[in-house]
Amino acid sequence: MKPTRNALEALIAGLRGRLVVTADWQAVIALANHTLLTPALFAALARTGQLDRLPEDVGEYLQFIYRCNRQRNLRLRRQLNEAVAALNQWGIVPVLLKGAVPLFLSSSGRIPDRMMNDLDLAVETDTVEAARACLAKLGYAEAAFSFDGMGRPQDVGLLELRPYREIDRESPRLARRHGLRTKIPGPQSRALHWIMHDLIKEADYWRGRTDFRHLYDLARLAEQHKLDWAVLRTSLPDQSARNAFDTQLLALSHFFGVRAPAQYVRRPLVRFQHWRRVFPLYHPVLGVPLRLVGNSLWGMWRLLHGDGLGRRSPLDFGRRATSILLDGDLGSKV
């Protein structure tokens, strides 16, 4: 999707609790739907008492999506609790990641407004196979289109199960709710995981892309907890990762007003990378060459490093390479 500048700015303002009364709401809603932020937009405007100022049909639509997402998240929470209970019976205490954390920790009368694709769990490396066997007894089977995913026909989302790898010095803490035991990474670890997942693993740093749902997650995490960006930065393995980290800090500051250390975000390389991500959002046509170059470099890197592209059949390789070049694999990113 190619958002307009006005739609993007109105969506960001809405997520920060401010209403842009002159917004093109058809464009704003299209962008919110694409980025999976529609329920969060409704919740943010509700928290600041702005709903009455919305056009009636817009307010009704946002509320409808919010309520549908709430019902879906209730089903996801029941699914998560069932999986955790089964794993606990096998002596496995899973580590919850990303959206599974607030889903598990929320009280019975409340449910997160976050729209989620799946449930992310991690277990110790030597218990992965046992955990998969445990979930198989609940009717889960490996999903053909997801490397780590397991699913059932009756559920609204996959379970993503992977080995747990600490990415900083902060060990996850034990959390108990309703007799269930999980491990919850601290706020620092959760922030670092989101940044590294998007910018390094999914290559947003090289491709010049932004996952605004995760960026909003980071902004809310920074609002709720005092994150020490300097400490997080020292845990990164190399300068390339630190450049990506700094670029995301600048995006957090630019879009959501999160305070970031000036010595990190003012570096010329970081400012250039931020510009490379933002310019195509505001100028979609002029930004096409930037995106094409980024996609090409990323595709070449994947081929040279043998992550699976090179082992595909020529037809599959061609389809995958075309998908990368033409942004066919972006999902909810912009």
Side-chain angles (χ1 to χ4, degrees):
M1 180 178 182
K2 298 178 179 178
T4 66
R5 179 171 190 153
N6 291 340
L8 179 59
E9 291 180 349
L11 174 60
I12 297 300
L15 292 170
R16 300 180 69 176
R18 302 195 302 266
L19 186 69
V20 178
V21 293
T22 59
D24 177 353
W25 283 104
Q26 185 173 357
V28 173
I29 287 174
L31 180 58
N33 287 343
H34 176 79
T35 55
L36 306 181
L37 283 166
T38 308
L41 176 60
F42 176 85
L45 293 175
R47 283 193 295 270
T48 55
Q50 300 293 314
L51 294 178
D52 291 341
R53 300 178 61 202
L54 285 169
E56 183 178 358
D57 58 337
V58 172
E60 290 176 351
Y61 177 80
L62 293 180
Q63 186 177 55
F64 171 73
I65 297 299
Y66 175 84
R67 288 176 173 173
C68 289
N69 185 63
R70 185 178 189 279
Q71 293 302 313
R72 185 176 186 273
N73 282 352
L74 285 170
R75 291 183 63 183
L76 284 171
R77 183 161 66 182
R78 289 194 292 269
Q79 181 185 352
L80 175 63
N81 289 345
E82 179 195 31
V84 171
L87 291 170
N88 286 173
Q89 289 178 357
W90 281 46
I92 299 172
V93 181
V95 180
L96 305 187
L97 304 173
K98 297 195 290 188
V101 174
L103 198 63
F104 181 79
L105 295 179
S106 58
S107 62
S108 57
R110 300 179 62 87
I111 198 76
D113 53 59
R114 187 182 194 270
M115 186 176 285
M116 292 184 288
N117 295 322
D118 47 38
L119 297 167
D120 291 275
L121 286 74
V123 297
E124 298 296 334
T125 303
D126 59 355
T127 65
V128 171
E129 293 306 317
R132 288 188 173 275
C134 173
L135 294 175
K137 287 183 176 295
L138 295 179
Y140 285 92
E142 292 187 11
F145 51 87
S146 174
F147 182 75
D148 298 311
M150 300 184 72
R152 300 181 301 189
Q154 68 267 33
D155 293 325
V156 294
L158 293 178
L159 277 179
E160 294 278 347
L161 182 69
R162 57 179 63 90
Y164 178 68
R165 298 181 180 88
E166 288 192 14
I167 57 175
D168 68 355
R169 307 181 190 92
E170 189 180 31
S171 298
R173 63 178 177 85
L174 183 66
R176 299 176 184 266
R177 290 191 68 84
H178 309 298
L180 303 176
R181 294 175 298 136
T182 65
K183 292 180 181 179
I184 307 294
Q188 300 267 119
S189 295
R190 289 156 61 190
L192 189 60
H193 180 266
W194 261 317
I195 293 174
M196 293 297 99
H197 176 273
D198 285 359
L199 273 76
I200 302 300
K201 181 179 179 181
E202 297 199 347
D204 289 356
Y205 178 67
W206 291 284
R207 299 184 68 180
R209 293 297 178 176
T210 304
D211 188 321
F212 276 97
R213 182 174 56 129
H214 287 172
L215 197 66
Y216 182 56
D217 289 332
L218 275 170
R220 295 181 72 178
L221 195 64
E223 180 182 313
Q224 296 163 4
H225 303 277
K226 186 175 177 58
L227 300 178
D228 192 330
W229 300 118
V231 170
L232 282 180
R233 196 174 184 273
T234 60
S235 67
L236 298 173
D238 52 43
Q239 187 60 48
S240 178
R242 287 188 283 275
N243 291 338
F245 181 88
D246 294 346
T247 301
Q248 193 75 326
L249 286 189
L250 183 52
L252 278 170
S253 175
H254 176 91
F255 289 108
F256 292 107
V258 174
R259 295 184 64 180
Q263 66 268 31
Y264 302 151
V265 300
R266 288 180 180 174
R267 295 191 296 123
L269 176 61
V270 173
R271 295 174 70 86
F272 169 74
Q273 291 287 28
H274 177 69
W275 172 83
R276 195 168 66 87
R277 296 172 81 191
V278 172
F279 182 82
L281 298 178
Y282 294 155
H283 308 281
V285 176
L286 295 176
V288 168
L290 283 175
R291 291 287 169 84
L292 187 60
V293 169
N295 292 348
S296 300
L297 291 174
W298 170 237
M300 290 173 61
W301 188 93
R302 294 188 66 183
L303 177 62
L304 293 174
H305 287 76
D307 70 338
L309 278 180
R311 294 189 295 272
R312 296 171 182 261
S313 69
L315 181 60
D316 287 342
F317 173 81
R319 288 172 176 168
R320 181 61 176 150
T322 302
S323 178
I324 291 174
L325 286 174
L326 300 182
D327 298 333
D329 62 335
L330 289 178
S332 60
K333 299 176 187 294
V334 293

